Amino acid sequence: LAIAPNKETECRDTIKKICDSFAVSPIAREVMEVANTGKNIEEHYFLQPMEGVSRTGYRSSWWTQFYYVLWRSWLTVLKDPMLVKVRLLQTAMVATLIGSIYFGQKLDQDGVMNINGSLFLFLTNMTFQNVFAVINVFSAELPVFLREKRSRLFRVDTYFLGKTIAEVPLFLAVPFVFTSITYPMIGLKSGAVHYLTALMIVVLVANVATSFGYLISCASSSISMALSV
């Protein structure tokens, strides 16, 4: 129902359609009937004792909370496709740069030292890139989270799992793009098994780094504090 900037006319038309649809709905007729007659008004519109609330004080089950937090978090990811494209493009550019610097290494003394250096860059790039990618996730949403938590809308664990799982596809795609470009360019050991082993390790490093970024984000009261830490 919000009116978006530069789309006022379109938004007002949408709002009018929603209001018109509601006006002819059974719910609207029921509201008008209760309002006109005054019958059962307490039953309909006064706050009743909370039935179906568990001992913990939540109306919905753990799975229901998890599903809706995950769905909301996934929508947040989808609403910013440019950010995903930029991250993948950045990863591809850095991977191409590292692959160009260490291109076509041979297994001699110098080659082994260079491969060591390239593997070090694998780890540092995957670590810092992923830490900084998530360091503002929880800090930015802290006021909203605290309000919803106090309203007993969801548990802490469902919120955390929903937020993190929604971003898992991206944290699998980034290591895949990076490894797929650099691995053949550097000339690391050929073979599907060796490539998949390297890819699995890089994925694990990226996700451990992401978890560390989440830790800093959760422990910090603001984005500036998180960046400083």
Side-chain angles (χ1 to χ4, degrees), residues 162-227:
K163 286 289 293 180
T164 52
I165 291 173
E167 296 184 347
V168 162
L170 183 59
F171 295 126
L172 294 177
V174 167
F176 174 76
V177 170
F178 184 83
T179 308
S180 299
I181 294 172
T182 50
Y183 197 93
M185 286 184 74
I186 295 170
L188 298 175
K189 195 167 184 177
S190 59
V193 175
H194 303 299
Y195 163 75
L196 290 174
T197 303
L199 176 61
M200 183 182 71
I201 292 169
V202 173
V203 166
L204 289 174
V205 168
N207 282 276
V208 168
T210 302
S211 300
F212 183 62
Y214 284 140
L215 172 66
I216 295 171
S217 184
C218 290
S220 305
S221 58
S222 63
I223 295 174
S224 56
M225 180 189 272
L227 289 170

Side-chain angles (χ1 to χ4, degrees), residues 64-205:
T64 305
Q65 295 174 34
F66 173 71
Y67 170 78
Y68 281 104
V69 173
L70 178 63
W71 177 70
R72 184 175 71 176
S73 303
W74 180 243
L75 286 182
T76 304
V77 174
L78 294 180
K79 280 180 180 177
D80 203 353
M82 184 56 67
L83 181 63
V84 176
K85 290 175 185 174
V86 166
R87 283 207 61 199
L88 292 175
L89 180 63
Q90 176 195 17
T91 302
M93 289 173 65
V94 172
T96 305
L97 179 63
I98 293 173
S100 303
I101 294 170
Y102 292 98
F103 187 78
Q105 294 300 317
K106 296 176 183 176
L107 283 178
D108 52 21
Q109 190 62 42
D110 289 339
V112 169
M113 294 297 290
N114 289 336
I115 287 171
N116 273 340
S118 68
L119 294 178
F120 172 75
L121 286 177
F122 265 60
L123 298 178
T124 53
N125 185 67
M126 282 295 100
T127 300
F128 289 109
Q129 181 180 349
N130 287 292
V131 166
F132 281 103
V134 300
I135 208 161
N136 66 337
V137 167
F138 293 110
S139 304
E141 291 192 4
L142 193 60
V144 176
F145 164 72
L146 290 174
R147 186 184 70 217
E148 293 181 342
K149 175 69 176 67
R150 286 168 187 151
S151 300
R152 312 297 282 173
L153 291 179
F154 47 69
R155 297 168 171 81
V156 176
D157 54 349
T158 54
Y159 173 76
F160 181 80
L161 288 171
K163 286 289 293 180
T164 52
I165 291 173
E167 296 184 347
V168 162
L170 183 59
F171 295 126
L172 294 177
V174 167
F176 174 76
V177 170
F178 184 83
T179 308
S180 299
I181 294 172
T182 50
Y183 197 93
M185 286 184 74
I186 295 170
L188 298 175
K189 195 167 184 177
S190 59
V193 175
H194 303 299
Y195 163 75
L196 290 174
T197 303
L199 176 61
M200 183 182 71
I201 292 169
V202 173
V203 166
L204 289 174
V205 168

Side-chain angles (χ1 to χ4, degrees), residues 20-36:
D20 291 344
S21 299
F22 175 77
V24 296
S25 69
I27 297 173
R29 287 198 293 273
E30 183 186 324
V31 169
M32 288 303 297
E33 184 181 335
V34 172
N36 290 332

